[in-house]
Amino acid sequence: MSRPRFDVVAIGNAIVDVMAAASDDDIVALGLAKGGMTLVDEPRAHELYQAMGPAREISGGSAANTLAGLAALGASCGFIGQVAGDQLGEVFAHDIRAGGIAFDTPVRAGEPSTARCLIFVTPDGQRTMNTFLGASQFLPADALDDAVIADAAVLYLEGYLWDPEEPRRAMRRAIATARAAGRKVAFTLSDAFVIARHGDDFRALIEAGAIDILFANEHELAALTGKDDFHEGIAALGPKIATLVVTRSEKGAHAVSGGEHAMVAAAPVGHVVDTTGAGDLFAAGFLFGHVRGLALETCLGLGAICAAEVISHYGARPEADLTALVAPLLS
């Protein structure tokens, strides 16, 4: 098999994050579910934006955040996602390309507008996300570049995007393309609410051997397996996946691959500022090690370092030099 052009190509929501500090009283007054992710319509998105304090706009989206981390580590990456022909669409395209990530999905004309996630960050570092999916949920299968997918060592899919019908069809086609090319498919479950709606789909993909690398946190693991006990969940799912990676916040992370188990502690953080993107950057570090054939424990350690960096500041994209941070682990 020829050496792939890309280390990772991802399909995900093309979202611009709008972030602002908020108090717990603000969360209550706005009727928000603290620490969770709620889908909102466009009028509610406008209402919440008006209620926000001074905000920062930066391209986000779970899979796109993972690629930003990978690119910062030196990986070659491409992104497939849908934006509209508006200002936020231009912001998203500029930011992802400026990070050295290939992005050539055609712009979608007309309504709805580009997706945005309004994120209220409380003093304890918890982020309360309110997402208007907008144009991102209308990614059509014919927008995929099959040659790009076939030329990536790993196809990485965002569970959040499995919810709307049109991109779900696109991702099924992408899985078939990647597997036909002999490439690996990685999938992140994203959130327990996604599993509640599409758990049967995910279980079917796993049983069919269509997913090589599965990322979950311990709550998603419980939702997918029906096992409240963490170790029982690992035992139930681990043998069905070539590589299973489960994050546990401050308790570190656990991975199983080919019967091998590896665990790492969470990397130390001086002060947790904003937990947005922790799982996304963990996946970035892990995949960076994986495509280079590094040991399972090393891959977990890379993920832990990247996750620790991103929760030490506002925003879901790395700000420090990730290559310098991970260098001691790779020496």
Side-chain angles (χ1 to χ4, degrees):
M1 186 183 300
S2 62
R3 180 176 176 83
R5 172 189 171 196
F6 296 104
D7 292 312
V8 180
V9 164
I11 302 177
N13 281 306
I15 297 178
V16 176
D17 288 341
V18 182
M19 306 184 62
S23 68
D24 287 326
D25 288 343
D26 293 332
I27 300 298
V28 173
L30 291 169
L32 305 178
K34 183 179 176 179
M37 198 288 287
T38 303
L39 294 177
V40 298
D41 58 17
E42 195 155 12
R44 176 64 166 163
H46 285 301
E47 176 188 350
L48 292 175
Y49 181 69
Q50 292 301 317
M52 285 183 124
R56 295 176 57 194
E57 293 180 353
I58 184 169
S59 297
S62 175
N65 292 338
T66 296
L67 291 187
L70 276 158
L73 287 165
S76 175
C77 303
F79 180 73
I80 299 169
Q82 189 67 68
V83 297
D86 54 22
Q87 183 179 0
L88 288 182
E90 292 179 3
V91 168
F92 181 90
H94 170 270
D95 284 355
I96 200 162
R97 290 170 182 153
I101 299 163
F103 175 54
D104 299 309
T105 309
V107 169
R108 186 177 190 272
E111 297 294 331
S113 56
T114 296
R116 77 229 40 183
C117 183
L118 306 170
I119 305 174
F120 295 80
V121 186
T122 41
D124 59 2
Q126 285 292 308
R127 78 279 188 272
T128 300
M129 301 184 292
N130 302 270
T131 305
F132 168 59
L133 290 173
S136 68
Q137 62 187 322
F138 294 100
L139 175 71
D142 61 13
L144 301 183
D145 187 331
D146 291 341
V148 167
I149 293 168
D151 211 6
V154 176
L155 170 69
Y156 180 71
L157 303 174
E158 177 184 329
Y160 283 130
L161 198 58
W162 199 264
D163 203 47
E165 182 178 350
E166 197 164 11
R168 191 186 322 140
R169 287 198 299 266
M171 287 195 286
R172 286 191 184 278
R173 172 174 152 177
I175 291 171
T177 299
R179 301 211 70 80
R183 307 305 189 185
K184 290 184 178 180
V185 176
F187 196 99
T188 177
L189 290 171
S190 293
D191 197 286
F193 93 86
V194 181
I195 299 168
R197 291 169 61 87
H198 302 288
D200 288 344
D201 275 357
F202 301 156
R203 295 180 196 101
L205 289 170
I206 291 166
E207 293 292 341
I211 298 174
D212 301 289
I213 307 166
L214 184 69
F215 291 94
N217 63 34
E218 58 185 332
H219 306 295
E220 293 156 5
L221 175 69
L224 188 67
T225 63
K227 307 287 187 183
D228 289 333
D229 180 84
F230 174 76
H231 297 287
E232 289 182 5
I234 290 285
L237 190 57
K240 299 180 180 182
I241 295 283
T243 302
L244 171 65
V245 184
V246 184
T247 56
R248 308 186 72 191
S249 299
E250 71 280 358
K251 291 179 285 186
H254 188 128
V256 187
S257 183
E260 175 192 358
H261 289 250
M263 290 158 279
V264 296
V269 181
H271 176 61
V272 175
V273 175
D274 169 25
T275 56
T276 308
D280 303 334
L281 268 293
F282 189 97
F286 185 94
L287 287 172
F288 181 77
H290 180 83
V291 297
R292 279 153 182 75
L294 301 181
L296 193 62
E297 185 174 349
T298 302
C299 294
L300 287 174
L302 291 169
I305 291 169
C306 293
E309 189 283 332
V310 84
I311 66 175
S312 68
H313 57 76
Y314 284 113
R317 301 284 173 93
E319 294 183 354
D321 183 351
L322 291 185
T323 58
L325 291 177
V326 304
L329 197 58
L330 300 178
S331 60

